[in-house]
């Protein structure tokens, strides 16, 4: 029978969150063409920079055109990430179940109570995913676009 915590409450939550963050980035890497992913990211950055420049010179028609282009890039990015999101959800739900089942430590506030395992997992998972994504993006963009810009 499984007994929680294995090491300690917080260490276990951090390890579970880290496993999810790393596995989600690996899944994204293997289910999405990284070159397309980074092209869209760099193109979106470029469009946002151009929109700022156009708004400085009060070219509202140019800004509207760039906004349309930016929305089309968001649509492409979403379409690119659909498969990886489905796979990540298949991993996330069992991990949430484990956390809720074995790490549900109720914490009572004055008006309500929360299960701290769930919220600790969510908050730590978001922070770790953000850090891992930034490291991954900085390393991999150099691989596909060494100059850091679109050619």
């Amino acid at each position: 029978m499984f007994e929680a915590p294995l090491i300690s409450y917080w260490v276990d939550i951090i390890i579970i969150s880290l496993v999810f963050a790393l596995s989600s980035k690996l899944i994204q890497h293997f289910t999405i063409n990284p070159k397309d992913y980074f092209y869209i990211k760099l193109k979106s950055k470029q469009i946002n920079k151009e929109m700022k420049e156009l708004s400085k010179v009060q070219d509202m028609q140019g800004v509207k055109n760039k906004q349309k282009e930016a929305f089309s890039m968001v649509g492409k990015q979403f379409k690119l990430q659909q498969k990886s999101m489905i796979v990540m959800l298949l991993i996330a739900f069992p991990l949430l179940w484990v956390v809720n089942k074995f790490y549900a430590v109720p914490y009572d506030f004055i008006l309500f109570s929360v299960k701290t395992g769930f919220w600790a997992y969510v908050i730590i998972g978001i922070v770790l995913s953000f850090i891992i994504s930034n490291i991954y993006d900085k390393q991999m963009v150099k691989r596909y676009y060494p100059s850091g810009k679109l050619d």
Side-chain angles (χ1 to χ4, degrees):
M1 182 80 184
F2 177 75
E3 290 188 33
L6 293 175
I7 299 170
S8 79
Y9 175 78
W10 287 105
V11 172
D12 285 5
I13 293 291
I14 291 170
I15 290 171
I16 292 169
S17 300
L18 185 62
V19 165
F20 178 71
L22 288 171
S23 64
S24 66
K25 203 41 131 166
L26 281 172
I27 289 166
Q28 180 183 358
H29 180 77
F30 290 116
T31 58
I32 295 175
N33 182 350
K35 188 166 184 154
D36 293 343
Y37 173 76
F38 290 113
Y39 173 81
I40 290 171
K41 284 189 76 116
L42 290 173
K43 185 70 174 171
S44 295
K45 256 188 200 176
Q46 182 182 10
I47 290 169
N48 285 336
K49 188 176 181 181
E50 291 170 2
M51 279 176 37
K52 284 181 185 178
E53 290 172 5
L54 289 171
S55 66
K56 283 181 184 176
V57 295
Q58 300 293 321
D59 183 2
M60 291 306 142
Q61 186 59 39
V63 170
K64 285 181 184 179
N65 292 338
K66 289 296 174 185
Q67 283 176 338
K68 287 180 186 176
E69 194 176 345
F71 284 133
S72 76
M73 295 306 289
V74 169
K76 289 178 185 178
Q77 186 175 16
F78 181 73
K79 193 176 275 188
L80 194 66
Q81 292 180 328
Q82 280 179 336
K83 190 190 317 181
S84 66
M85 279 193 240
I86 291 168
V87 176
M88 283 187 269
L89 286 174
L90 292 174
I91 293 171
F93 287 134
L95 285 176
L96 278 173
W97 181 82
V98 166
V99 167
N100 263 342
K101 175 99 172 133
F102 298 106
Y103 295 94
V105 178
Y107 187 80
D108 292 322
F109 290 101
I110 295 170
L111 299 174
F112 60 93
S113 68
V114 295
K115 293 182 179 179
T116 57
F118 173 80
W119 288 108
Y121 170 73
V122 169
I123 292 168
I124 292 169
I126 289 170
V127 170
L128 288 175
S129 292
F130 182 73
I131 292 168
I132 290 169
S133 284
N134 280 336
I135 292 169
Y136 170 84
D137 288 353
K138 285 179 182 176
Q139 294 301 314
M140 295 303 283
V141 79
K142 292 175 188 174
R143 182 177 190 184
Y144 295 104
Y145 297 95
S147 67
K149 297 180 182 178
L150 297 175
D151 298 329

